[in-house]
């Protein structure tokens, strides 16, 4: 009940996960590292429509990755969602991720939004101008509209810190451009093409999936 939040949204679900990544590293490399270098910690606060996730590695004390998200019923038109100061605004970089126009990056035929149609919801396919089209139909109106249209934008504020001299700018830029952007693009694209698996689920259904997934991971 005392987690981070915005616009008074500070009550939700907190999770703390420890990822053991040693199995993904070569044996010779693993032998050179202390046990603390083989884990990554994730702390997440979910107070929808606001969420915050912080990643850290105990061994790399000068590294942190923080992602705040605000989900709003528009197409990206809202300015300064996170109430940044003038100084913060001047130093930020704004990047629009369009799940259709950007899908040429790491293209996967089974995840092509221009051909996918949901059997449960009949949504899709999305064309190259879907963002403008749905913004015009939905923004400023009660959603879903009388025609059944709706749109949502996930506003993300990503802060990366890697305070090691000589590598800082290069590593931070790599994380922003490659790791974060590519992961977000793929994840949101999959959220759309996998909607028949999650559409209509209750919170009890989701908790059951979480429990079964945890058991599978342990095995």
């Amino acid at each position: 009940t005392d987690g981070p939040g915005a616009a008074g949204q500070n009550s939700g679900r907190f999770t703390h996960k420890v990822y053991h990544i040693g199995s993904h590293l070569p044996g010779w490399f693993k032998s050179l590292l202390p046990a603390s270098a083989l884990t990554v910690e994730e702390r997440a606060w979910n107070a929808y429509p606001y969420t915050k996730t912080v990643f850290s590695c105990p061994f790399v004390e000068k590294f942190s990755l923080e992602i705040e998200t605000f989900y709003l019923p528009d197409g990206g038109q809202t300015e300064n969602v996170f109430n940044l100061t003038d100084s913060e605004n001047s130093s930020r970089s704004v990047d629009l991720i369009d799940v259709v126009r950007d899908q040429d990056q790491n293209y996967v035929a089974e995840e092509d939004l221009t051909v996918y149609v949901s059997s449960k919801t009949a949504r899709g396919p999305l064309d190259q101008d879907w963002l403008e089209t749905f913004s015009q139909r939905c923004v400023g109106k009660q959603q879903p509209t009388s025609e059944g249209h709706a749109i949502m934008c996930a506003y993300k504020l990503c802060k990366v810190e890697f305070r090691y001299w000589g590598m800082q700018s290069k590593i931070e830029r790599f994380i922003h451009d490659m790791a974060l952007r590519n992961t977000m693009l793929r994840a949101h694209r999959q959220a759309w093409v996998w909607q028949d698996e999650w559409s209509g689920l209750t919170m009890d259904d989701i908790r059951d999936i979480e429990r079964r997934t945890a058991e599978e991971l342990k095995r």
Side-chain angles (χ1 to χ4, degrees):
T1 56
D2 59 349
Q9 193 78 22
N10 60 4
S11 178
R13 182 180 179 88
F14 171 75
T15 57
H16 180 192
K17 301 177 183 178
V18 179
Y19 298 97
H20 300 275
I21 60 175
S23 61
H24 298 283
L25 301 175
W28 65 268
F29 185 54
K30 198 163 38 171
S31 66
L32 301 174
L33 300 172
S36 61
L38 307 179
T39 62
V40 173
E41 297 192 18
E42 174 199 288
R43 290 175 173 81
W45 296 262
N46 189 337
Y48 184 86
Y50 171 86
T51 68
K52 179 178 181 178
T53 306
V54 178
F55 295 95
S56 61
C57 177
F59 179 66
V60 188
E61 61 181 22
K62 297 180 181 179
F63 164 75
S64 67
L65 170 57
E66 178 182 304
I67 303 172
E68 293 180 81
T69 306
F70 232 136
Y71 299 92
L72 294 180
D74 62 34
Q77 292 85 9
T78 304
E79 293 291 336
N80 200 12
V81 175
F82 298 96
N83 296 316
L84 301 180
T85 64
D86 291 341
S87 175
E88 290 171 325
N89 265 323
S90 64
S91 62
R92 70 175 181 170
S93 175
V94 179
D95 182 9
L96 171 64
I97 298 179
D98 185 324
V99 289
V100 175
R101 293 184 179 178
D102 292 349
Q103 68 177 345
D104 289 342
Q105 304 171 28
N106 303 319
Y107 177 79
V108 178
E110 294 78 14
E111 299 172 5
D112 191 335
L113 279 66
T114 63
V115 298
Y116 171 78
V117 179
S118 166
S119 58
K120 265 190 180 181
T121 67
R123 295 170 180 155
L126 299 178
D127 61 27
Q128 294 290 319
D129 298 322
W130 74 276
L131 183 53
E132 293 81 1
T133 300
F134 278 84
S135 290
Q136 292 173 1
R137 292 173 177 172
C138 302
V139 174
K141 301 178 182 178
Q142 180 68 36
Q143 295 187 44
T145 66
S146 56
E147 294 81 16
H149 299 136
I151 191 170
M152 181 173 71
C153 179
Y155 291 86
K156 292 185 177 290
L157 179 62
C158 306
K159 299 177 181 177
V160 179
E161 188 171 56
F162 191 84
R163 293 181 288 113
Y164 287 89
W165 187 82
M167 296 185 292
Q168 181 169 357
S169 296
K170 186 174 183 179
I171 294 297
E172 289 178 351
R173 180 48 52 195
F174 171 81
I175 293 174
H176 274 298
D177 291 348
M178 300 301 295
L180 283 177
R181 194 184 202 282
N182 286 351
T183 299
M184 290 175 181
L185 174 59
R186 185 82 189 275
H188 286 79
R189 193 169 66 202
Q190 289 176 336
W192 180 260
V193 298
W194 294 353
Q195 62 183 278
D196 286 342
E197 298 182 26
W198 54 259
S199 181
L201 295 182
T202 65
M203 286 307 299
D204 288 338
D205 294 331
I206 293 172
R207 295 291 175 252
D208 183 55
I209 292 173
E210 289 178 339
R211 284 190 290 270
R212 286 188 279 115
T213 300
E215 291 302 317
E216 290 172 6
L217 288 172
K218 289 177 183 178
R219 288 196 295 270

